[in-house]
Amino acid sequence: MVRSFVGGLELICNLLESKDQQVLAAVCFAIANIARDKENLAVITDHGVIHKLARLAHTNDDLLRAKLAEAISNCCELESNRALFGKAGAVAPLVSYLTSSDLEVHRTTAAALHQLSKDPWNCVTMHQSGVVSHLLRLIGSEDEDVQEAAADCLQNIRKLALACEKFRYQ
């Protein structure tokens, strides 16, 4: 449906250049929903949405953090985007979101980190950024979605560590 609006997806991506935090949060929410469709996701990826989202990662605004993490999570459904987020420097700032007291930030960030952890280089970045202690804490969350995403992310990090350990001793 969204693709039927000629140039609409490009305009949405260009709104990520706004300086207004509420506009950015609304656009990230829109992108999160648009990205649920694989064809739309491919189109917005071609319009540079990955780098534009990654540039926003250093925000301190919890509303923007929550919507941005959701957009990143959904954009990671396209496998190649996971590595692109890592190369664009979006992974380490997301780890810092876990210090927030906002449950929605925890929910969306844990989901984003789980998706990003499917790329081995992102696992390395997460580990270097101190994500493990945060994820262990989130496994004890009252929110089941947070628990599951945190556990899945830890599992991916652990699988990579075990594979490296196995390789080292061969």
Side-chain angles (χ1 to χ4, degrees), residues 21-80:
Q21 299 290 305
Q22 289 184 329
V23 169
L24 291 171
V27 172
C28 286
F29 181 70
I31 288 172
N33 288 300
I34 290 167
R36 290 184 176 151
D37 177 90
K38 294 265 187 192
E39 291 179 30
N40 285 340
L41 177 53
V43 171
I44 62 175
T45 297
D46 289 344
H47 285 299
V49 74
I50 304 306
H51 291 285
K52 291 176 182 182
L53 290 172
R55 281 196 299 253
L56 300 176
H58 292 282
T59 184
N60 292 318
D61 182 90
D62 275 345
L63 176 63
L64 179 53
R65 283 178 167 186
K67 302 307 179 190
L68 175 61
E70 184 177 6
I72 289 172
S73 179
N74 291 352
C75 286
C76 284
E77 289 299 321
L78 190 59
E79 188 175 332
S80 60

Side-chain angles (χ1 to χ4, degrees), residues 54-131:
R55 281 196 299 253
L56 300 176
H58 292 282
T59 184
N60 292 318
D61 182 90
D62 275 345
L63 176 63
L64 179 53
R65 283 178 167 186
K67 302 307 179 190
L68 175 61
E70 184 177 6
I72 289 172
S73 179
N74 291 352
C75 286
C76 284
E77 289 299 321
L78 190 59
E79 188 175 332
S80 60
N81 286 350
R82 297 172 190 149
L84 289 175
F85 277 119
K87 290 175 184 169
V91 177
L94 281 178
V95 172
S96 71
Y97 292 11
L98 298 178
T99 61
S100 171
S101 59
D102 188 312
L103 179 62
E104 187 62 21
V105 172
H106 289 176
R107 183 179 297 116
T108 59
T109 302
L113 290 172
H114 169 236
Q115 288 296 325
L116 290 164
S117 73
K118 294 176 183 178
D119 177 80
W121 290 110
N122 290 340
C123 286
V124 171
T125 302
M126 286 179 206
H127 190 272
Q128 291 174 340
S129 300
V131 77

Side-chain angles (χ1 to χ4, degrees), residues 2-3 5-14 34 39-40 43-44 47:
V2 176
R3 284 185 307 279
F5 299 112
V6 177
L9 293 177
E10 184 179 6
L11 290 173
I12 291 281
C13 292
N14 288 338
I34 290 167
E39 291 179 30
N40 285 340
V43 171
I44 62 175
H47 285 299

